[in-house]
Amino acid sequence: MSLISFIQRFFSVGLGAMASSFVGYYRMLAHAVFGVPAELLGITLPSSLIDFWALSFVCAGAYVRAKNVEDARAFRHLQLKKTSIKLRVAVFLISGLTGLSLFIPLSAMSIYTYTEGDITRDALKNLLVILVVVFGFFIFNAFSPSG
């Protein structure tokens, strides 16, 4: 029923209204993840920071899920032989909070991303999968018929 509702709205409403609904829906979710805990501590976060962190953590998740993160140039001095959960958690938190992970969508424009075995290539694939899942989640949840 939710898919039918989505299709009806998509064809009767312009794409601009659909994009606005999409952004509003995920801003509400991002506020629940980042804004509400901060408000419990008495801190009011600006919506631009919440949006920034939401995008940054999605990109950080895509990077951390990539194969061979331990082989990245920044971590070669650690000489890790197997997957390190601690390293991946640290990379996720640091790159998510600072925005360093936003290089993932920008890496699509780099010729070096498309060489075999590149870490950012895997991260970019993960990001595309995440975006498809996010859009699917939006379709099946934001447009459910009201009961």
Side-chain angles (χ1 to χ4, degrees):
M1 294 182 76
S2 182
L3 180 62
I4 293 169
S5 178
F6 169 77
I7 291 170
Q8 286 176 342
R9 287 191 187 185
F10 181 76
F11 288 112
S12 66
V13 180
L15 197 55
M18 182 69 63
S20 176
S21 178
F22 181 80
V23 169
Y25 183 76
Y26 281 104
R27 275 192 172 157
M28 181 182 62
L29 288 175
H31 183 267
V33 171
F34 298 112
V36 171
E39 289 172 359
L40 292 174
L41 297 173
I43 301 169
T44 303
L45 298 175
S47 62
S48 58
L49 180 62
I50 293 172
D51 293 343
F52 173 78
W53 276 347
L55 290 173
S56 183
F57 275 105
V58 166
C59 292
Y63 182 74
V64 168
R65 298 263 315 143
K67 298 177 199 169
N68 303 325
V69 170
E70 292 80 13
D71 294 336
R73 278 182 265 158
F75 310 122
R76 285 191 184 149
H77 69 281
L78 298 176
Q79 298 179 353
L80 298 169
K81 302 296 181 202
K82 59 181 182 171
T83 303
S84 172
I85 300 298
K86 291 178 185 177
L87 175 69
R88 288 178 184 251
V89 168
V91 168
F92 177 74
L93 292 175
I94 292 170
S95 64
L97 287 171
T98 61
L100 291 173
S101 61
L102 294 176
F103 82 90
I104 297 297
L106 297 175
S107 70
M109 293 187 246
S110 171
I111 190 73
Y112 300 110
T113 299
Y114 302 101
T115 59
E116 194 63 37
D118 188 57
I119 297 169
T120 53
R121 181 179 180 177
D122 285 336
L124 197 55
K125 287 178 189 176
N126 291 339
L127 184 61
L128 290 176
V129 168
I130 289 170
L131 293 177
V132 167
V133 169
V134 162
F135 190 68
F137 183 80
F138 171 70
I139 290 170
F140 288 111
N141 289 298
F143 293 108
S144 60
S146 57

